[in-house]
Amino acid sequence: MISHIDVESPEILFENHFNESSNKRILFSGEFGCGKTYFLNHFFEARKENINTFWLSPVKYSIGQNEDIIEYIKINIALQLLKRPEILPIVKEKYDEDLFIFEYIKNKPLEIVKLLVSCVEALGVTTGPVEKVLDTLKNYGEYSEKLKDNLQNEEQSITKYLKQIVNIKGSIFEDDIISQSIRAILHRCKAENRQNILIIDDFDRLDPEHIFRILNILSVHNDYFETNNKFDFDKIIIVCDYHNIRKIYQYKYGPEVDYKGYINKFYSNDIFHFTNEGAISYYCENQLADVLSFKHDACKKTLGLLLSQFVKHKIITMRQIVKQNIGISFKSFSFGPYTCTIPSGWFMDPPGDFFKRTNVYSFEPSKVQFFFQTNDFPFLQIIKSLTIIFGSYDNLMEAIDRIKKESAPIDPPTTIILIKAIMPLYHLICNDQNHNDLVYRIEADPRGNGKWIGFPTNNFLSLDYIVPTGWNNRNPYDPSLSYFHNIIDELNKWGSAEESTASDYKILFHQLETILDFLNKKNFLHPLGIS
């Protein structure tokens, strides 16, 4: 069920989830192509002053051996660390030459004695006794080391064994000098209370062996080492479709194996489920609308609502939407003229509430000529955007033909948004052949005093609504302006959900099909830049 979408909801929900202190390992789940990577990129870009992010895309590891996975991860992290400004050459203390010589003699006495022996031999002096001394010293050294090994207590023996294990490449317990160096450098990046976050993207696109190898490495580290996460990251985020991982697990180990018991070890609290609707709303409100220069909030939200439905019914993916270059130029043009005849009668003037009729004005019979501009109908810009996303007008019509069979409720607040964005254009199309109905409606006066002449009405989403043109005796129509010049401002005064009621997306897509068919038959597509 799609309801009114609050654009801030996905960001606020994830921020609350992310900021939980106990949430050290996060499973960020969403369907393929729903915009997970896009959302996370923008989420952390807005917080880059306080958070260091390190991205891994293990899809590249698919050609590698399973045992090498941890080495690839270390290489990726190391390469990203080298690009960071915090990684500056560490200035070592400068040693004088005599100090180097002293350290060498102290740590390599046998090598010095051998050097002296070779020099003496060069002078023709017999060095047999000296060589026997050297052999004895060598044997003593070997015996001493063996004795030390035998004298180790149990704790020392285990410690030595563990040191050997953590230095084995490919071991799930590995913690060699490179891993320790990465951890040390990451600590330097945490100056001024910054967090280090590791994001493992496209996790469910990995080879199954690699998926469970990485999960097991992370799990073993959490269980047996004192730090919270591998490499001591503050948080690790695994980006995938939870249900895909489940299918892969059950295919590998069988449907009877407890998947939840296995996967629960890899996230701290709850799974964060990222929805298509939230992704599209976030994208349309935070980037796409800026590119398109939408002037009206209703248009921003309407584009998100429509795309949400297309994604929900698997007609298009969020990835396809984001990849499109939707930077468009929208040229306004006028069309008309239209002519209507105003009969004698009375004009109702609702000052604010479109359903209250208070002030009444007399009209003389007259003919009024008027025109429209494409700028009066911001929904045309949405249509052009949709044709770019789908590739063409024909592709969009085909998508609408598929989705118009699907029923999904529209709640009253969402109906208000759609009315503000679409109804003016739909009203024009419904009355293109009857110009009088574009301008006014006529009702009989229940007191028998003639006729009432009021704002026109339109049946949109199977509901009757007044179309507030904004022209009346106090504000007479100016023929130099388009007839719907005021309509967006007038509609924006109407914001209460109580003034609307629920509807259905099935009806909406049938009416969108009517709009697109009209634009094609009236040859508006080419002037609008739609192909």
Side-chain angles (χ1 to χ4, degrees):
M1 172 181 174
I2 300 295
S3 61
H4 173 57
I5 298 172
D6 179 358
V7 66
E8 293 184 327
S9 61
E11 185 171 7
I12 291 175
L13 286 173
F14 182 65
E15 185 162 35
N16 292 337
H17 187 82
F18 178 83
N19 287 337
E20 290 181 22
S21 59
S22 60
N23 232 354
K24 303 296 184 182
R25 294 172 299 282
I26 297 172
L27 193 63
F28 189 95
S29 175
E31 292 184 0
F32 174 77
C34 77
K36 300 184 293 294
T37 303
Y38 169 84
F39 174 83
L40 288 172
N41 263 318
H42 281 260
F43 181 88
F44 288 111
E45 177 65 22
R47 294 158 179 80
K48 62 184 179 182
E49 297 301 320
N50 300 310
I51 297 174
N52 302 318
T53 53
F54 297 84
W55 288 78
L56 299 182
S57 184
V59 174
K60 304 169 188 174
Y61 308 163
S62 58
I63 61 173
Q65 296 294 321
N66 203 28
E67 293 76 14
D68 296 331
I69 290 298
I70 188 62
E71 296 303 311
Y72 296 148
I73 290 176
K74 285 154 62 177
I75 290 170
N76 268 347
I77 296 173
L79 289 172
Q80 292 180 60
L81 282 172
L82 290 174
K83 298 177 182 178
R84 300 196 66 86
E86 298 91 343
I87 311 306
L88 300 173
I90 300 175
V91 180
K92 299 288 187 181
E93 182 181 353
K94 186 175 180 180
Y95 281 12
D96 292 330
E97 198 66 29
D98 56 350
L99 186 56
F100 277 116
I101 293 172
F102 172 77
E103 289 292 327
Y104 183 79
I105 294 172
K106 185 176 71 172
N107 292 290
K108 300 281 187 178
L110 287 178
E111 298 299 323
I112 297 302
V113 173
K114 288 179 182 179
L115 175 63
L116 293 173
V117 168
S118 65
C119 292
V120 171
E121 285 179 338
L123 297 174
V125 178
T126 302
T127 58
V130 177
E131 290 178 353
K132 289 181 179 179
V133 172
L134 288 175
D135 289 339
T136 302
L137 288 173
K138 182 179 178 182
N139 291 334
Y140 169 76
E142 292 175 353
Y143 175 78
S144 174
E145 289 299 319
K146 186 175 180 181
L147 187 63
K148 287 178 182 178
D149 288 343
N150 291 333
L151 292 176
Q152 284 181 341
N153 59 33
E154 292 177 346
E155 181 181 356
Q156 290 172 324
S157 299
I158 293 173
T159 300
K160 181 178 179 180
Y161 171 72
L162 290 177
K163 286 182 179 178
Q164 293 173 344
I165 293 297
V166 297
N167 281 290
I168 297 176
K169 292 188 182 300
S171 166
I172 60 174
F173 296 97
E174 81 80 38
D175 191 43
D176 62 11
I177 187 63
I178 301 301
S179 294
Q180 294 169 31
S181 297
I182 289 173
R183 191 159 57 244
I185 297 172
L186 284 170
H187 274 286
R188 284 171 37 207
C189 293
K190 293 177 65 172
E192 300 178 0
N193 297 319
R194 293 169 70 93
Q195 294 186 76
N196 290 324
I197 308 300
L198 178 65
I199 302 172
I200 308 178
D201 200 8
D202 292 326
F203 196 68
D204 48 341
R205 294 172 63 188
L206 277 170
D207 181 279
E209 296 293 334
H210 294 350
I211 288 175
F212 300 116
R213 179 76 173 177
I214 293 174
L215 287 177
N216 288 335
I217 288 171
L218 298 179
S219 175
V220 165
H221 188 91
N222 298 335
D223 290 341
Y224 295 105
F225 291 86
E226 293 181 359
T227 56
N228 288 316
N229 285 314
K230 184 73 176 175
F231 306 114
D232 206 15
F233 279 102
D234 294 287
K235 295 179 187 289
I236 294 178
I237 301 175
I238 294 177
V239 185
C240 64
D241 183 343
Y242 170 83
H243 302 292
N244 278 351
I245 300 292
R246 181 190 63 200
K247 292 174 185 175
I248 294 169
Y249 182 84
Q250 292 177 341
Y251 177 80
K252 182 174 175 62
Y253 297 109
E256 303 303 321
V257 180
D258 181 16
Y259 168 69
K260 287 186 177 180
Y262 174 80
I263 201 69
N264 284 353
K265 296 187 296 181
F266 306 112
Y267 58 89
S268 300
N269 298 342
D270 297 325
I271 298 170
F272 184 84
H273 292 283
F274 187 62
T275 64
N276 291 327
E277 293 84 357
I280 294 168
S281 284
Y282 187 89
Y283 176 66
C284 290
E285 291 277 352
N286 288 275
Q287 181 167 328
L288 186 56
D290 293 334
V291 172
L292 299 175
S293 300
F294 281 155
K295 297 179 180 178
H296 307 291
D297 288 340
C299 290
K300 298 177 186 179
K301 289 179 168 60
T302 296
L303 180 58
L305 289 164
L306 296 176
L307 289 174
S308 296
Q309 289 298 309
F310 286 120
V311 174
K312 177 184 177 183
H313 294 289
K314 303 188 185 306
I315 294 173
I316 197 171
T317 67
M318 184 63 195
R319 185 165 304 198
Q320 290 172 285
I321 296 170
V322 173
K323 283 186 175 181
Q324 291 293 337
N325 181 15
I326 316 179
I328 64 172
S329 58
F330 190 78
K331 295 181 179 179
S332 179
F333 59 88
S334 303
F335 56 96
Y338 291 80
T339 302
C340 74
T341 302
I342 298 179
S344 60
W346 299 90
F347 182 79
M348 298 180 303
D349 175 28
D353 186 333
F354 303 142
F355 296 101
K356 291 180 181 177
R357 306 164 185 177
T358 54
N359 302 317
V360 204
Y361 296 87
S362 177
F363 260 102
E364 296 299 327
S366 62
K367 283 193 173 183
V368 176
Q369 193 172 75
F370 57 95
F371 69 95
F372 294 100
Q373 279 190 318
T374 51
N375 277 348
D376 299 335
F377 309 102
F379 188 66
L380 291 173
Q381 196 171 359
I382 294 178
I383 291 174
K384 185 170 182 179
S385 304
L386 290 172
T387 58
I388 293 173
I389 291 170
F390 281 93
S392 69
Y393 168 87
D394 290 337
N395 289 347
L396 176 58
M397 285 293 280
E398 181 182 344
I400 290 175
D401 185 60
R402 289 169 58 190
I403 201 171
K404 70 182 183 182
K405 304 176 180 66
E406 304 292 339
S407 178
I410 305 175
D411 65 12
T414 304
T415 303
I416 294 285
I417 292 169
L418 296 171
I419 287 170
K420 292 178 179 179
I422 305 175
M423 188 177 70
L425 180 59
Y426 190 69
H427 177 65
L428 168 67
I429 291 169
C430 291
N431 299 289
D432 182 62
Q433 300 301 316
N434 189 341
H435 301 172
N436 289 349
D437 288 345
L438 276 172
V439 177
Y440 60 84
R441 78 181 186 284
I442 299 176
E443 293 181 7
D445 183 354
R447 296 171 299 178
N449 295 329
K451 298 176 180 178
W452 293 90
I453 301 178
F455 285 133
T457 57
N458 184 264
N459 186 276
F460 180 68
L461 297 176
S462 294
L463 304 164
D464 289 326
Y465 295 101
I466 290 174
V467 182
T469 62
W471 306 116
N472 53 46
N473 271 30
R474 293 180 300 178
N475 183 33
Y477 173 60
D478 180 353
S480 68
L481 299 175
S482 62
Y483 195 74
F484 278 180
H485 177 76
N486 303 315
I487 196 165
I488 299 299
D489 291 336
E490 293 295 324
L491 282 171
N492 282 336
K493 298 174 185 176
W494 186 19
S496 172
E498 285 74 21
E499 296 172 349
S500 183
T501 185
S503 187
D504 197 288
Y505 276 102
K506 186 174 183 179
I507 300 169
L508 173 64
F509 282 108
H510 275 279
Q511 293 183 324
L512 293 188
E513 189 176 50
T514 300
I515 292 173
L516 286 165
D517 187 57
F518 171 85
L519 296 176
N520 185 31
K521 289 179 179 178
K522 297 291 283 189
N523 297 317
F524 276 8
L525 297 181
H526 181 70
L528 290 170
I530 297 173
S531 58

